[in-house]
Amino acid sequence: QVQLVASGGGSVQAGGSLRLSCVASTFTYRRYCMAWFRQAPGKEREVVAAIDRDGSTTYADSVKGRFTISQHNVNTLYLQMSSLKPEDTAMYYCAAERGDCYTGPFDYWGQGTQVTVSS
């Protein structure tokens, strides 16, 4: 069982930046696919960014060039968000998948951290 604790959300103005963190209870570096998802009110949950076991990264088109996913140490995942837009407002979740990304469902989820961007 892997426990994930997300933090770093908050309220910012458009154009601002935030860094989300996700600390895992176990060694995740190169062992799990790690990802950030978000869900806005009334919308489906969507993947924002993922980092695979080989270190390769993927991003939703809506955040490319503005968000960066990275890992630090053996169990910490980050999402650096810049040039934030009101449409980035959502609850953000970190998640972990055993094996390579998108080969199965994500197995573990954090509790979510709220990001609110005002215009």
Side-chain angles (χ1 to χ4, degrees), residues 21-55:
S21 300
C22 175
V23 179
S25 60
T26 191
F27 190 121
T28 57
Y29 183 71
R30 300 295 176 102
R31 290 185 178 180
Y32 293 82
C33 163
M34 302 296 296
W36 288 97
F37 288 77
R38 68 184 180 187
Q39 187 167 21
K43 294 188 177 181
E44 292 188 356
R45 185 173 60 196
E46 62 175 350
V47 60
V48 175
I51 184 164
D52 217 328
R53 296 193 298 168
D54 64 358

PDB file of all heavy atoms in Angstrom, residues 21-55:
ATOM      1  N   SER A  21       3.431  19.612  -4.252  1.00  0.00           N
ATOM      2  CA  SER A  21       4.290  18.527  -3.816  1.00  0.00           C
ATOM      3  C   SER A  21       3.446  17.309  -3.476  1.00  0.00           C
ATOM      4  O   SER A  21       2.299  17.442  -3.035  1.00  0.00           O
ATOM      5  CB  SER A  21       5.091  18.934  -2.584  1.00  0.00           C
ATOM      6  OG  SER A  21       5.902  20.049  -2.831  1.00  0.00           O
ATOM      7  N   CYS A  22       4.026  16.160  -3.649  1.00  0.00           N
ATOM      8  CA  CYS A  22       3.356  14.908  -3.303  1.00  0.00           C
ATOM      9  C   CYS A  22       4.408  13.982  -2.708  1.00  0.00           C
ATOM     10  O   CYS A  22       5.362  13.610  -3.388  1.00  0.00           O
ATOM     11  CB  CYS A  22       2.724  14.283  -4.541  1.00  0.00           C
ATOM     12  SG  CYS A  22       1.975  12.659  -4.267  1.00  0.00           S
ATOM     13  N   VAL A  23       4.234  13.661  -1.459  1.00  0.00           N
ATOM     14  CA  VAL A  23       5.175  12.784  -0.765  1.00  0.00           C
ATOM     15  C   VAL A  23       4.567  11.402  -0.612  1.00  0.00           C
ATOM     16  O   VAL A  23       3.452  11.255  -0.112  1.00  0.00           O
ATOM     17  CB  VAL A  23       5.542  13.355   0.615  1.00  0.00           C
ATOM     18  CG1 VAL A  23       6.505  12.417   1.330  1.00  0.00           C
ATOM     19  CG2 VAL A  23       6.168  14.732   0.461  1.00  0.00           C
ATOM     20  N   ALA A  24       5.316  10.406  -1.054  1.00  0.00           N
ATOM     21  CA  ALA A  24       4.849   9.020  -0.977  1.00  0.00           C
ATOM     22  C   ALA A  24       5.422   8.338   0.254  1.00  0.00           C
ATOM     23  O   ALA A  24       6.504   8.688   0.735  1.00  0.00           O
ATOM     24  CB  ALA A  24       5.264   8.263  -2.235  1.00  0.00           C
ATOM     25  N   SER A  25       4.711   7.350   0.725  1.00  0.00           N
ATOM     26  CA  SER A  25       5.135   6.634   1.926  1.00  0.00           C
ATOM     27  C   SER A  25       6.185   5.583   1.634  1.00  0.00           C
ATOM     28  O   SER A  25       6.687   4.928   2.554  1.00  0.00           O
ATOM     29  CB  SER A  25       3.924   5.961   2.578  1.00  0.00           C
ATOM     30  OG  SER A  25       3.324   5.039   1.683  1.00  0.00           O
ATOM     31  N   THR A  26       6.508   5.406   0.335  1.00  0.00           N
ATOM     32  CA  THR A  26       7.488   4.402  -0.032  1.00  0.00           C
ATOM     33  C   THR A  26       8.328   4.911  -1.188  1.00  0.00           C
ATOM     34  O   THR A  26       8.076   5.972  -1.753  1.00  0.00           O
ATOM     35  CB  THR A  26       6.789   3.086  -0.413  1.00  0.00           C
ATOM     36  OG1 THR A  26       7.751   2.040  -0.532  1.00  0.00           O
ATOM     37  CG2 THR A  26       6.051   3.225  -1.744  1.00  0.00           C
ATOM     38  N   PHE A  27       9.331   4.142  -1.523  1.00  0.00           N
ATOM     39  CA  PHE A  27      10.235   4.463  -2.621  1.00  0.00           C
ATOM     40  C   PHE A  27       9.454   4.375  -3.929  1.00  0.00           C
ATOM     41  O   PHE A  27       8.965   3.327  -4.302  1.00  0.00           O
ATOM     42  CB  PHE A  27      11.361   3.432  -2.597  1.00  0.00           C
ATOM     43  CG  PHE A  27      12.518   3.705  -3.501  1.00  0.00           C
ATOM     44  CD1 PHE A  27      13.786   3.846  -2.971  1.00  0.00           C
ATOM     45  CD2 PHE A  27      12.374   3.757  -4.873  1.00  0.00           C
ATOM     46  CE1 PHE A  27      14.884   4.065  -3.790  1.00  0.00           C
ATOM     47  CE2 PHE A  27      13.456   3.982  -5.708  1.00  0.00           C
ATOM     48  CZ  PHE A  27      14.720   4.127  -5.160  1.00  0.00           C
ATOM     49  N   THR A  28       9.348   5.503  -4.628  1.00  0.00           N
ATOM     50  CA  THR A  28       8.600   5.503  -5.886  1.00  0.00           C
ATOM     51  C   THR A  28       9.464   5.787  -7.108  1.00  0.00           C
ATOM     52  O   THR A  28       9.060   5.493  -8.232  1.00  0.00           O
ATOM     53  CB  THR A  28       7.471   6.547  -5.843  1.00  0.00           C
ATOM     54  OG1 THR A  28       8.049   7.825  -5.556  1.00  0.00           O
ATOM     55  CG2 THR A  28       6.448   6.189  -4.784  1.00  0.00           C
ATOM     56  N   TYR A  29      10.635   6.374  -6.900  1.00  0.00           N
ATOM     57  CA  TYR A  29      11.483   6.784  -8.029  1.00  0.00           C
ATOM     58  C   TYR A  29      11.833   5.593  -8.905  1.00  0.00           C
ATOM     59  O   TYR A  29      12.387   4.599  -8.444  1.00  0.00           O
ATOM     60  CB  TYR A  29      12.746   7.433  -7.491  1.00  0.00           C
ATOM     61  CG  TYR A  29      13.670   7.971  -8.545  1.00  0.00           C
ATOM     62  CD1 TYR A  29      13.328   9.097  -9.283  1.00  0.00           C
ATOM     63  CD2 TYR A  29      14.893   7.356  -8.807  1.00  0.00           C
ATOM     64  CE1 TYR A  29      14.166   9.595 -10.251  1.00  0.00           C
ATOM     65  CE2 TYR A  29      15.739   7.848  -9.771  1.00  0.00           C
ATOM     66  CZ  TYR A  29      15.378   8.967 -10.491  1.00  0.00           C
ATOM     67  OH  TYR A  29      16.216   9.452 -11.453  1.00  0.00           O
ATOM     68  N   ARG A  30      11.443   5.708 -10.181  1.00  0.00           N
ATOM     69  CA  ARG A  30      11.694   4.700 -11.208  1.00  0.00           C
ATOM     70  C   ARG A  30      10.990   3.363 -10.927  1.00  0.00           C
ATOM     71  O   ARG A  30      11.219   2.382 -11.643  1.00  0.00           O
ATOM     72  CB  ARG A  30      13.199   4.450 -11.409  1.00  0.00           C
ATOM     73  CG  ARG A  30      13.979   5.684 -11.851  1.00  0.00           C
ATOM     74  CD  ARG A  30      13.559   6.163 -13.209  1.00  0.00           C
ATOM     75  NE  ARG A  30      14.214   7.402 -13.635  1.00  0.00           N
ATOM     76  CZ  ARG A  30      15.224   7.466 -14.491  1.00  0.00           C
ATOM     77  NH1 ARG A  30      15.686   6.353 -15.036  1.00  0.00           N
ATOM     78  NH2 ARG A  30      15.748   8.617 -14.817  1.00  0.00           N
ATOM     79  N   ARG A  31      10.129   3.326  -9.915  1.00  0.00           N
ATOM     80  CA  ARG A  31       9.368   2.113  -9.636  1.00  0.00           C
ATOM     81  C   ARG A  31       7.911   2.237 -10.020  1.00  0.00           C
ATOM     82  O   ARG A  31       7.248   1.234 -10.316  1.00  0.00           O
ATOM     83  CB  ARG A  31       9.463   1.756  -8.163  1.00  0.00           C
ATOM     84  CG  ARG A  31      10.826   1.279  -7.717  1.00  0.00           C
ATOM     85  CD  ARG A  31      10.779   0.831  -6.274  1.00  0.00           C
ATOM     86  NE  ARG A  31      12.066   0.308  -5.820  1.00  0.00           N
ATOM     87  CZ  ARG A  31      12.286  -0.151  -4.607  1.00  0.00           C
ATOM     88  NH1 ARG A  31      11.309  -0.176  -3.716  1.00  0.00           N
ATOM     89  NH2 ARG A  31      13.478  -0.598  -4.270  1.00  0.00           N
ATOM     90  N   TYR A  32       7.392   3.454  -9.972  1.00  0.00           N
ATOM     91  CA  TYR A  32       6.005   3.714 -10.290  1.00  0.00           C
ATOM     92  C   TYR A  32       5.914   4.797 -11.348  1.00  0.00           C
ATOM     93  O   TYR A  32       6.766   5.685 -11.418  1.00  0.00           O
ATOM     94  CB  TYR A  32       5.240   4.199  -9.062  1.00  0.00           C
ATOM     95  CG  TYR A  32       5.080   3.191  -7.957  1.00  0.00           C
ATOM     96  CD1 TYR A  32       6.088   2.964  -7.050  1.00  0.00           C
ATOM     97  CD2 TYR A  32       3.886   2.482  -7.822  1.00  0.00           C
ATOM     98  CE1 TYR A  32       5.937   2.047  -6.038  1.00  0.00           C
ATOM     99  CE2 TYR A  32       3.724   1.571  -6.807  1.00  0.00           C
ATOM    100  CZ  TYR A  32       4.752   1.344  -5.913  1.00  0.00           C
ATOM    101  OH  TYR A  32       4.597   0.445  -4.915  1.00  0.00           O
ATOM    102  N   CYS A  33       4.874   4.725 -12.134  1.00  0.00           N
ATOM    103  CA  CYS A  33       4.479   5.887 -12.915  1.00  0.00           C
ATOM    104  C   CYS A  33       3.808   6.843 -11.942  1.00  0.00           C
ATOM    105  O   CYS A  33       2.913   6.436 -11.188  1.00  0.00           O
ATOM    106  CB  CYS A  33       3.493   5.473 -14.010  1.00  0.00           C
ATOM    107  SG  CYS A  33       2.556   6.847 -14.725  1.00  0.00           S
ATOM    108  N   MET A  34       4.216   8.106 -11.963  1.00  0.00           N
ATOM    109  CA  MET A  34       3.646   9.113 -11.079  1.00  0.00           C
ATOM    110  C   MET A  34       2.984  10.188 -11.925  1.00  0.00           C
ATOM    111  O   MET A  34       3.520  10.588 -12.968  1.00  0.00           O
ATOM    112  CB  MET A  34       4.730   9.738 -10.205  1.00  0.00           C
ATOM    113  CG  MET A  34       5.500   8.746  -9.351  1.00  0.00           C
ATOM    114  SD  MET A  34       4.454   7.916  -8.124  1.00  0.00           S
ATOM    115  CE  MET A  34       3.956   9.309  -7.097  1.00  0.00           C
ATOM    116  N   ALA A  35       1.844  10.660 -11.475  1.00  0.00           N
ATOM    117  CA  ALA A  35       1.113  11.631 -12.283  1.00  0.00           C
ATOM    118  C   ALA A  35       0.347  12.613 -11.408  1.00  0.00           C
ATOM    119  O   ALA A  35       0.079  12.364 -10.235  1.00  0.00           O
ATOM    120  CB  ALA A  35       0.139  10.900 -13.215  1.00  0.00           C
ATOM    121  N   TRP A  36       0.000  13.724 -12.043  1.00  0.00           N
ATOM    122  CA  TRP A  36      -0.897  14.709 -11.457  1.00  0.00           C
ATOM    123  C   TRP A  36      -2.175  14.732 -12.294  1.00  0.00           C
ATOM    124  O   TRP A  36      -2.115  14.815 -13.530  1.00  0.00           O
ATOM    125  CB  TRP A  36      -0.277  16.092 -11.444  1.00  0.00           C
ATOM    126  CG  TRP A  36       0.813  16.247 -10.450  1.00  0.00           C
ATOM    127  CD1 TRP A  36       2.164  16.142 -10.659  1.00  0.00           C
ATOM    128  CD2 TRP A  36       0.672  16.532  -9.053  1.00  0.00           C
ATOM    129  NE1 TRP A  36       2.852  16.340  -9.499  1.00  0.00           N
ATOM    130  CE2 TRP A  36       1.960  16.586  -8.493  1.00  0.00           C
ATOM    131  CE3 TRP A  36      -0.428  16.757  -8.211  1.00  0.00           C
ATOM    132  CZ2 TRP A  36       2.186  16.861  -7.137  1.00  0.00           C
ATOM    133  CZ3 TRP A  36      -0.214  17.013  -6.878  1.00  0.00           C
ATOM    134  CH2 TRP A  36       1.085  17.068  -6.352  1.00  0.00           C
ATOM    135  N   PHE A  37      -3.294  14.690 -11.607  1.00  0.00           N
ATOM    136  CA  PHE A  37      -4.601  14.830 -12.222  1.00  0.00           C
ATOM    137  C   PHE A  37      -5.254  16.079 -11.643  1.00  0.00           C
ATOM    138  O   PHE A  37      -4.841  16.595 -10.608  1.00  0.00           O
ATOM    139  CB  PHE A  37      -5.491  13.626 -11.895  1.00  0.00           C
ATOM    140  CG  PHE A  37      -5.115  12.360 -12.601  1.00  0.00           C
ATOM    141  CD1 PHE A  37      -4.038  11.602 -12.193  1.00  0.00           C
ATOM    142  CD2 PHE A  37      -5.870  11.909 -13.681  1.00  0.00           C
ATOM    143  CE1 PHE A  37      -3.697  10.424 -12.848  1.00  0.00           C
ATOM    144  CE2 PHE A  37      -5.544  10.729 -14.343  1.00  0.00           C
ATOM    145  CZ  PHE A  37      -4.459   9.987 -13.915  1.00  0.00           C
ATOM    146  N   ARG A  38      -6.295  16.536 -12.306  1.00  0.00           N
ATOM    147  CA  ARG A  38      -7.092  17.624 -11.736  1.00  0.00           C
ATOM    148  C   ARG A  38      -8.556  17.416 -12.104  1.00  0.00           C
ATOM    149  O   ARG A  38      -8.881  16.780 -13.105  1.00  0.00           O
ATOM    150  CB  ARG A  38      -6.599  18.985 -12.209  1.00  0.00           C
ATOM    151  CG  ARG A  38      -6.818  19.277 -13.681  1.00  0.00           C
ATOM    152  CD  ARG A  38      -6.186  20.622 -14.043  1.00  0.00           C
ATOM    153  NE  ARG A  38      -6.367  20.946 -15.452  1.00  0.00           N
ATOM    154  CZ  ARG A  38      -5.797  21.988 -16.052  1.00  0.00           C
ATOM    155  NH1 ARG A  38      -4.995  22.810 -15.354  1.00  0.00           N
ATOM    156  NH2 ARG A  38      -6.008  22.220 -17.326  1.00  0.00           N
ATOM    157  N   GLN A  39      -9.397  17.979 -11.252  1.00  0.00           N
ATOM    158  CA  GLN A  39     -10.830  17.918 -11.505  1.00  0.00           C
ATOM    159  C   GLN A  39     -11.453  19.234 -11.073  1.00  0.00           C
ATOM    160  O   GLN A  39     -11.373  19.618  -9.897  1.00  0.00           O
ATOM    161  CB  GLN A  39     -11.487  16.755 -10.781  1.00  0.00           C
ATOM    162  CG  GLN A  39     -12.945  16.565 -11.158  1.00  0.00           C
ATOM    163  CD  GLN A  39     -13.507  15.243 -10.687  1.00  0.00           C
ATOM    164  OE1 GLN A  39     -12.976  14.614  -9.764  1.00  0.00           O
ATOM    165  NE2 GLN A  39     -14.577  14.799 -11.317  1.00  0.00           N
ATOM    166  N   ALA A  40     -12.068  19.891 -12.039  1.00  0.00           N
ATOM    167  CA  ALA A  40     -12.784  21.133 -11.768  1.00  0.00           C
ATOM    168  C   ALA A  40     -14.258  20.808 -11.530  1.00  0.00           C
ATOM    169  O   ALA A  40     -14.751  19.784 -12.001  1.00  0.00           O
ATOM    170  CB  ALA A  40     -12.640  22.089 -12.945  1.00  0.00           C
ATOM    171  N   PRO A  41     -14.961  21.665 -10.800  1.00  0.00           N
ATOM    172  CA  PRO A  41     -16.387  21.414 -10.541  1.00  0.00           C
ATOM    173  C   PRO A  41     -17.160  21.206 -11.830  1.00  0.00           C
ATOM    174  O   PRO A  41     -17.042  21.999 -12.778  1.00  0.00           O
ATOM    175  CB  PRO A  41     -16.837  22.687  -9.814  1.00  0.00           C
ATOM    176  CG  PRO A  41     -15.603  23.205  -9.181  1.00  0.00           C
ATOM    177  CD  PRO A  41     -14.492  22.884 -10.130  1.00  0.00           C
ATOM    178  N   GLY A  42     -17.919  20.132 -11.878  1.00  0.00           N
ATOM    179  CA  GLY A  42     -18.747  19.861 -13.045  1.00  0.00           C
ATOM    180  C   GLY A  42     -18.011  19.273 -14.224  1.00  0.00           C
ATOM    181  O   GLY A  42     -18.611  19.066 -15.290  1.00  0.00           O
ATOM    182  N   LYS A  43     -16.737  19.002 -14.055  1.00  0.00           N
ATOM    183  CA  LYS A  43     -15.942  18.455 -15.161  1.00  0.00           C
ATOM    184  C   LYS A  43     -15.348  17.111 -14.759  1.00  0.00           C
ATOM    185  O   LYS A  43     -15.233  16.790 -13.576  1.00  0.00           O
ATOM    186  CB  LYS A  43     -14.833  19.429 -15.556  1.00  0.00           C
ATOM    187  CG  LYS A  43     -15.336  20.731 -16.138  1.00  0.00           C
ATOM    188  CD  LYS A  43     -14.203  21.561 -16.689  1.00  0.00           C
ATOM    189  CE  LYS A  43     -14.717  22.833 -17.341  1.00  0.00           C
ATOM    190  NZ  LYS A  43     -13.613  23.654 -17.909  1.00  0.00           N
ATOM    191  N   GLU A  44     -14.962  16.352 -15.769  1.00  0.00           N
ATOM    192  CA  GLU A  44     -14.329  15.066 -15.517  1.00  0.00           C
ATOM    193  C   GLU A  44     -12.879  15.277 -15.068  1.00  0.00           C
ATOM    194  O   GLU A  44     -12.235  16.260 -15.426  1.00  0.00           O
ATOM    195  CB  GLU A  44     -14.376  14.198 -16.768  1.00  0.00           C
ATOM    196  CG  GLU A  44     -15.773  13.750 -17.145  1.00  0.00           C
ATOM    197  CD  GLU A  44     -15.773  12.733 -18.278  1.00  0.00           C
ATOM    198  OE1 GLU A  44     -14.693  12.438 -18.815  1.00  0.00           O
ATOM    199  OE2 GLU A  44     -16.859  12.243 -18.619  1.00  0.00           O
ATOM    200  N   ARG A  45     -12.394  14.312 -14.344  1.00  0.00           N
ATOM    201  CA  ARG A  45     -11.001  14.333 -13.954  1.00  0.00           C
ATOM    202  C   ARG A  45     -10.115  14.145 -15.182  1.00  0.00           C
ATOM    203  O   ARG A  45     -10.441  13.321 -16.050  1.00  0.00           O
ATOM    204  CB  ARG A  45     -10.725  13.224 -12.940  1.00  0.00           C
ATOM    205  CG  ARG A  45      -9.339  13.213 -12.365  1.00  0.00           C
ATOM    206  CD  ARG A  45      -9.250  12.182 -11.269  1.00  0.00           C
ATOM    207  NE  ARG A  45      -9.550  10.842 -11.751  1.00  0.00           N
ATOM    208  CZ  ARG A  45      -9.837   9.814 -10.967  1.00  0.00           C
ATOM    209  NH1 ARG A  45      -9.893   9.985  -9.660  1.00  0.00           N
ATOM    210  NH2 ARG A  45     -10.077   8.625 -11.488  1.00  0.00           N
ATOM    211  N   GLU A  46      -9.034  14.875 -15.256  1.00  0.00           N
ATOM    212  CA  GLU A  46      -8.135  14.769 -16.396  1.00  0.00           C
ATOM    213  C   GLU A  46      -6.695  14.685 -15.903  1.00  0.00           C
ATOM    214  O   GLU A  46      -6.335  15.254 -14.864  1.00  0.00           O
ATOM    215  CB  GLU A  46      -8.288  15.978 -17.325  1.00  0.00           C
ATOM    216  CG  GLU A  46      -7.946  17.305 -16.686  1.00  0.00           C
ATOM    217  CD  GLU A  46      -7.991  18.479 -17.666  1.00  0.00           C
ATOM    218  OE1 GLU A  46      -8.107  18.249 -18.882  1.00  0.00           O
ATOM    219  OE2 GLU A  46      -7.890  19.633 -17.211  1.00  0.00           O
ATOM    220  N   VAL A  47      -5.895  13.986 -16.683  1.00  0.00           N
ATOM    221  CA  VAL A  47      -4.478  13.911 -16.352  1.00  0.00           C
ATOM    222  C   VAL A  47      -3.817  15.209 -16.801  1.00  0.00           C
ATOM    223  O   VAL A  47      -4.069  15.703 -17.902  1.00  0.00           O
ATOM    224  CB  VAL A  47      -3.820  12.674 -16.990  1.00  0.00           C
ATOM    225  CG1 VAL A  47      -3.930  12.705 -18.496  1.00  0.00           C
ATOM    226  CG2 VAL A  47      -2.395  12.539 -16.529  1.00  0.00           C
ATOM    227  N   VAL A  48      -2.987  15.752 -15.951  1.00  0.00           N
ATOM    228  CA  VAL A  48      -2.284  16.999 -16.243  1.00  0.00           C
ATOM    229  C   VAL A  48      -0.874  16.701 -16.738  1.00  0.00           C
ATOM    230  O   VAL A  48      -0.427  17.251 -17.738  1.00  0.00           O
ATOM    231  CB  VAL A  48      -2.222  17.874 -14.977  1.00  0.00           C
ATOM    232  CG1 VAL A  48      -1.390  19.119 -15.229  1.00  0.00           C
ATOM    233  CG2 VAL A  48      -3.625  18.248 -14.521  1.00  0.00           C
ATOM    234  N   ALA A  49      -0.190  15.830 -16.020  1.00  0.00           N
ATOM    235  CA  ALA A  49       1.189  15.498 -16.360  1.00  0.00           C
ATOM    236  C   ALA A  49       1.538  14.173 -15.722  1.00  0.00           C
ATOM    237  O   ALA A  49       0.984  13.816 -14.682  1.00  0.00           O
ATOM    238  CB  ALA A  49       2.151  16.582 -15.886  1.00  0.00           C
ATOM    239  N   ALA A  50       2.468  13.467 -16.357  1.00  0.00           N
ATOM    240  CA  ALA A  50       2.910  12.174 -15.827  1.00  0.00           C
ATOM    241  C   ALA A  50       4.396  12.013 -16.076  1.00  0.00           C
ATOM    242  O   ALA A  50       4.942  12.544 -17.049  1.00  0.00           O
ATOM    243  CB  ALA A  50       2.137  11.027 -16.471  1.00  0.00           C
ATOM    244  N   ILE A  51       5.021  11.269 -15.181  1.00  0.00           N
ATOM    245  CA  ILE A  51       6.428  10.942 -15.353  1.00  0.00           C
ATOM    246  C   ILE A  51       6.568   9.436 -15.212  1.00  0.00           C
ATOM    247  O   ILE A  51       6.147   8.845 -14.214  1.00  0.00           O
ATOM    248  CB  ILE A  51       7.321  11.719 -14.354  1.00  0.00           C
ATOM    249  CG1 ILE A  51       8.795  11.448 -14.622  1.00  0.00           C
ATOM    250  CG2 ILE A  51       6.945  11.433 -12.908  1.00  0.00           C
ATOM    251  CD1 ILE A  51       9.714  12.469 -13.942  1.00  0.00           C
ATOM    252  N   ASP A  52       7.121   8.821 -16.243  1.00  0.00           N
ATOM    253  CA  ASP A  52       7.159   7.373 -16.305  1.00  0.00           C
ATOM    254  C   ASP A  52       8.392   6.844 -15.586  1.00  0.00           C
ATOM    255  O   ASP A  52       9.261   7.603 -15.139  1.00  0.00           O
ATOM    256  CB  ASP A  52       7.140   6.910 -17.759  1.00  0.00           C
ATOM    257  CG  ASP A  52       6.332   5.641 -17.943  1.00  0.00           C
ATOM    258  OD1 ASP A  52       6.307   4.824 -17.006  1.00  0.00           O
ATOM    259  OD2 ASP A  52       5.722   5.473 -19.007  1.00  0.00           O
ATOM    260  N   ARG A  53       8.464   5.538 -15.525  1.00  0.00           N
ATOM    261  CA  ARG A  53       9.563   4.925 -14.778  1.00  0.00           C
ATOM    262  C   ARG A  53      10.919   5.186 -15.423  1.00  0.00           C
ATOM    263  O   ARG A  53      11.947   5.137 -14.740  1.00  0.00           O
ATOM    264  CB  ARG A  53       9.314   3.433 -14.627  1.00  0.00           C
ATOM    265  CG  ARG A  53       8.075   3.114 -13.790  1.00  0.00           C
ATOM    266  CD  ARG A  53       8.030   1.656 -13.406  1.00  0.00           C
ATOM    267  NE  ARG A  53       7.945   0.789 -14.577  1.00  0.00           N
ATOM    268  CZ  ARG A  53       8.121  -0.530 -14.501  1.00  0.00           C
ATOM    269  NH1 ARG A  53       8.389  -1.109 -13.353  1.00  0.00           N
ATOM    270  NH2 ARG A  53       8.011  -1.268 -15.591  1.00  0.00           N
ATOM    271  N   ASP A  54      10.918   5.455 -16.734  1.00  0.00           N
ATOM    272  CA  ASP A  54      12.191   5.747 -17.403  1.00  0.00           C
ATOM    273  C   ASP A  54      12.530   7.232 -17.372  1.00  0.00           C
ATOM    274  O   ASP A  54      13.513   7.662 -17.971  1.00  0.00           O
ATOM    275  CB  ASP A  54      12.165   5.245 -18.847  1.00  0.00           C
ATOM    276  CG  ASP A  54      11.121   5.955 -19.699  1.00  0.00           C
ATOM    277  OD1 ASP A  54      10.387   6.810 -19.172  1.00  0.00           O
ATOM    278  OD2 ASP A  54      11.038   5.635 -20.904  1.00  0.00           O
ATOM    279  N   GLY A  55      11.682   8.002 -16.706  1.00  0.00           N
ATOM    280  CA  GLY A  55      11.919   9.432 -16.593  1.00  0.00           C
ATOM    281  C   GLY A  55      11.250  10.269 -17.654  1.00  0.00           C
ATOM    282  O   GLY A  55      11.286  11.504 -17.596  1.00  0.00           O
TER     283      GLY A  55
END
